[in-house]
Amino acid sequence: MTRGPSDGGHQGADALHGGMDATTAPHRIPPEMPQYGEANHVFELMQNMLEQLLIHQPKDPIPFMIEHLQRDNDCVPKIVILGPPASGKTTIAMWLGKHLNTNLLSVGNLMAKEYSPLAADARRHYQKFQTLPNMLLVRLLQERLREEDCVRRGWILDGFPETREQALMVQTLGICPRHVIVLSAPDTVLIERNLGKRIDPQTGEIYHTTFDWPSSSEIQNRLIVPTGISEAETARKLLEYHRNIVRVLPSYPRILKVIPADQPCVDVFCQALTYVQTVHRSNAPFTPRVLLCGPVGSGKSLQAALLAQKYGLVNVCCGQLLKEAVADKSKYGEMIWPFLEKEIAVPDNIILKVLRQRLDQQDCIERGWVLHGFPRDLDQAHLMDSLGYKPNRVFFLNVPFDSVIERLTLRRTDPITGERYHLMYKPPPTMEIQARLLQNPKDSEEQIKLKMDLFYRNSAELEEFYGQAITLNGDQDPYTVFEYIESGIINPLPKKVP
C-alpha cells in the first residue's frame, strides 16, 4: 500500500463503499444482502458475465449467459509473462504452467500445432520470412484459446504480446489476461546470462552452463547452443525489447507486476506464483465488518483506531462499551456495575445485549465496524454468530510473550497530570516525574501472563471457527501491521476450491 494510514481517509472510505450512491442516502440495506453477495461472489459473477456479453455481443444473450455460467471458468489462470531475452520468462512460465495445471502458449508451440491449416500457413510464412504478420499470429492465438483445454484450465502466454499493436489486437478480440508479469534485469546481466544458455532438443528444457547445469551426463551430451545468443545479437534484441515494452505496459494498468529477474530463479517463481494467485479488487459494494483478535498488548486498539480513521468504520471496543454503559447509568449499566466493581467477568448474555445495541445502530450498518475485545472464546463466537453478527474479515495478531511483557510492564501513569509514559519508548522528561509514576496493577507480569495464557488457550478454536481468518505477526512496526490488515480488507476473499 502506498498511502499512509492517516491520509486518504475519504478516498479509502469511498472505495470500500463505492457501490453506494451518497445522493440517495440513507441506505437501509438488510445486512444479509451484502453477506450473501460476497459469500457467493455474486457481484464478480455478474461483472464477468457482463464483460463477456460486451466482448462477444451474441445475437441471443440468454443462451450465451447460460453457457458462460455452465463453463464456470471465471477463476482459471489467464497470465501473460513478458521480459527481455535471458530474463528467464520461459522457465518461469513453464514452472507456473506445471504448478497451476494450465496451458503454456508460445509463438513456437502455436505454430507447431497439428491439424490446423492456420498453423501450417504460419510455419510456411515463418520458414520464408523468419517472422509472422501480427494478424496471422493473433488469429492463431484466438484459435488455440477456443479449444476446450484452454477454456477449462486457462492459459499462460510466454513472451507475447511483444508490441503495442499486438497488445491492442488481442484486446480487441476480447483476450484479456488477469495477471501480467514483467521480468526485469540489467542488460549486462542478461547478455552474460544469455551466452551460457543451452537447450535440450528432446524436451525443450533450457539449461545454463553456470546456473543450471544438468546432473545427467546423457542430457549434458545432447544439449545444443541456441541460435542468436551472441553478445551482439543479444544487445540488438535488448534494444528492440526496450523500445517496444514501454508501449506495451500501458495496455495493462492495475494487473501488472514487475519482478526483478536478477535473483535466484526459485525466488522469482515464488513471487510470480504469489502474484498470480491473488484476486484483484472488485467493484462490488462492500461494507467491512472487521474482527481483530489477539492477546493483551498485541495492538488491537491501535489498529482499530487506524482503520476507523482511514475508512470511516465504527470503532467498537467491547470493554469500552461496558464502561460507557455504566457511565451512562443505563439499564445495562446497572447490571454491569457489580461485576466491574468486583473485577470479575461480565456474563456473556449481558455483553451481547450491549454489543447488539451498538451494532444495530445505523452508522454500523451503513459504514461497517471494527470490533475488538469480543469474542474471546468459541462459545462467545457461536453466540455472536447466532445473532447474525458475522465478521467478513478476521485478523489474529500474534505477539510473543516477551514482547508483550516489554510493551505492558513498563507502562506508567503520572498521578498528578494523568500523562502516560513508557520507560523504554516514552520515558518521563525529569527524574522528579519518574519518581512519582505509578504502575497499573493490571500491567504486572503475573496478570499479563494469566491473560495471555487464556487467550492462546482459546485462539486455536477461534481460528478454526473463523475459517478464512488471516494470522499476522503483530510484533513489528504498527504501521507495517496496518498495511497487512488494510490489504486483507480491500482485497476480495479467495474463492473456495471445492
Side-chain angles (χ1 to χ4, degrees):
M1 311 302 297
T2 53
R3 293 197 307 269
S6 60
D7 64 6
H10 294 299
Q11 291 177 356
D14 290 345
L16 282 180
H17 308 297
M20 309 296 187
D21 178 4
T23 60
T24 58
H27 300 276
R28 298 192 177 272
I29 297 174
E32 295 81 6
M33 284 174 57
Q35 285 176 26
Y36 177 84
E38 189 185 14
N40 294 282
H41 298 268
V42 171
F43 299 103
E44 291 82 4
L45 188 72
M46 300 305 292
Q47 184 174 323
N48 285 327
M49 196 153 55
L50 179 60
E51 284 177 0
Q52 293 302 309
L53 279 171
L54 295 175
I55 288 168
H56 297 286
Q57 301 178 20
K59 289 181 180 177
D60 192 343
I62 303 301
F64 178 88
M65 287 191 285
I66 292 171
E67 185 185 345
H68 173 82
L69 292 170
Q70 288 173 335
R71 276 204 300 264
D72 190 26
N73 69 341
D74 285 337
C75 293
V76 300
K78 294 183 178 180
I79 302 164
V80 166
I81 299 187
L82 304 174
S87 59
K89 58 183 178 295
T90 298
T91 301
I92 298 302
M94 288 173 68
W95 288 4
L96 283 176
K98 289 176 183 175
H99 191 92
L100 300 172
N101 188 30
T102 190
N103 299 284
L104 176 59
L105 309 182
S106 66
V107 175
N109 64 29
L110 287 174
M111 284 198 300
K113 186 166 171 276
E114 296 180 355
Y115 314 115
S116 165
L118 209 55
D121 284 349
R123 288 193 295 272
R124 284 192 293 271
H125 197 284
Y126 191 81
Q127 286 167 3
K128 190 173 182 181
F129 300 104
Q130 293 301 299
T131 185
L132 287 182
N134 286 339
M135 183 54 73
L136 180 56
L137 183 54
V138 170
R139 283 175 58 208
L140 202 56
L141 175 63
Q142 188 180 32
E143 177 186 75
R144 180 70 182 90
L145 294 183
R146 285 174 177 161
E147 294 183 8
E148 182 63 21
D149 59 339
C150 283
V151 171
R152 216 168 7 90
R153 294 191 287 115
W155 43 266
I156 299 174
L157 283 185
D158 173 17
F160 182 85
E162 292 183 327
T163 65
R164 178 162 176 77
E165 290 69 32
Q166 291 176 353
L168 293 175
M169 287 173 80
V170 296
Q171 284 181 335
T172 304
L173 293 173
I175 301 169
C176 300
R178 294 199 176 94
H179 299 88
V180 176
I181 292 172
V182 179
L183 302 183
S184 173
D187 285 0
T188 50
V189 171
L190 295 170
I191 290 171
E192 184 181 345
R193 188 186 287 182
N194 216 22
L195 291 172
K197 189 185 289 186
R198 300 293 183 268
I199 292 180
D200 183 339
Q202 288 187 17
T203 65
E205 289 275 356
I206 298 172
Y207 295 94
H208 195 278
T209 54
T210 306
F211 308 115
D212 184 24
W213 193 243
S215 54
S216 163
S217 57
E218 183 186 348
I219 296 176
Q220 290 175 15
N221 293 333
R222 69 173 184 243
L223 294 183
I224 60 173
V225 179
T227 57
I229 65 167
S230 69
E231 186 171 341
E233 186 68 11
T234 304
R236 185 190 65 76
K237 289 178 180 176
L238 284 169
L239 185 64
E240 185 179 359
Y241 169 81
H242 291 310
R243 190 181 297 129
N244 285 322
I245 194 66
V246 292
R247 300 180 64 234
V248 171
L249 300 188
S251 301
Y252 300 110
R254 296 186 296 278
I255 60 168
L256 180 73
K257 182 173 180 64
V258 178
I259 298 178
D262 189 14
Q263 55 180 322
C265 208
V266 173
D267 293 344
V268 178
F269 170 69
C270 288
Q271 291 173 46
L273 181 62
T274 300
Y275 177 62
V276 300
Q277 289 179 325
T278 60
V279 183
H280 295 301
R281 186 171 166 194
S282 100
N283 296 319
F286 171 52
T287 304
R289 300 180 301 281
V290 184
L291 174 62
L292 299 179
C293 300
V296 59
S298 58
K300 302 184 297 293
S301 298
L302 174 59
Q303 298 303 327
L306 293 173
L307 286 172
Q309 177 187 4
K310 182 162 186 180
Y311 291 111
L313 309 183
V314 178
N315 187 348
V316 182
C317 172
C318 196
Q320 190 63 30
L321 281 182
L322 299 180
K323 291 175 185 174
E324 287 172 1
V326 171
D328 293 342
K329 297 181 179 178
S330 66
K331 60 176 181 177
Y332 296 134
E334 292 174 5
M335 298 162 67
I336 294 165
W337 168 242
F339 298 99
L340 293 186
E341 189 180 29
K342 295 173 186 174
E343 294 189 350
I344 57 177
V346 179
D348 291 350
N349 65 320
I350 298 177
I351 296 176
L352 257 298
K353 286 174 181 174
V354 176
L355 190 60
R356 190 172 191 174
Q357 188 180 53
R358 184 66 191 92
L359 295 181
D360 282 347
Q361 290 182 27
Q362 195 61 27
D363 58 347
C364 281
I365 293 170
E366 287 181 12
R367 289 159 46 196
W369 41 262
V370 50
L371 171 65
H372 48 113
F374 191 92
R376 296 176 185 268
D377 58 43
L378 188 59
D379 289 340
Q380 292 179 346
H382 276 296
L383 271 172
M384 196 168 111
D385 189 75
S386 68
L387 294 173
Y389 302 113
K390 302 175 189 286
N392 50 19
R393 296 294 187 275
V394 180
F395 299 91
F396 282 81
L397 304 179
N398 279 343
V399 181
F401 176 72
D402 290 345
S403 296
V404 172
I405 290 297
E406 183 182 281
R407 288 182 185 188
L408 300 187
T409 59
L410 300 180
R411 295 195 300 194
R412 299 291 187 272
T413 304
D414 185 338
I416 296 177
T417 64
E419 184 74 24
R420 293 182 178 182
Y421 295 98
H422 191 282
L423 298 184
M424 182 178 292
Y425 305 127
K426 186 189 172 186
T430 67
M431 292 300 292
E432 180 187 352
I433 294 175
Q434 181 161 340
R436 67 181 186 235
L437 294 182
L438 299 176
Q439 182 187 38
N440 190 319
K442 292 180 180 178
D443 287 344
S444 69
E445 187 168 332
E446 184 182 345
Q447 287 291 315
I448 292 166
K449 189 173 189 313
L450 283 172
K451 290 178 181 176
M452 287 198 71
D453 286 347
L454 183 62
F455 171 78
Y456 282 116
R457 203 178 304 143
N458 293 315
S459 64
E461 289 183 329
L462 273 177
E463 285 188 51
E464 189 177 346
F465 181 78
Y466 294 113
Q468 291 182 306
I470 298 170
T471 302
L472 298 174
N473 172 18
D475 190 22
Q476 49 188 331
D477 176 78
Y479 292 96
T480 303
V481 176
F482 176 77
E483 289 193 356
Y484 280 116
I485 292 175
E486 185 179 32
S487 66
I489 290 173
I490 64 174
N491 290 323
L493 286 171
K495 190 170 184 179
K496 289 182 180 176
V497 179

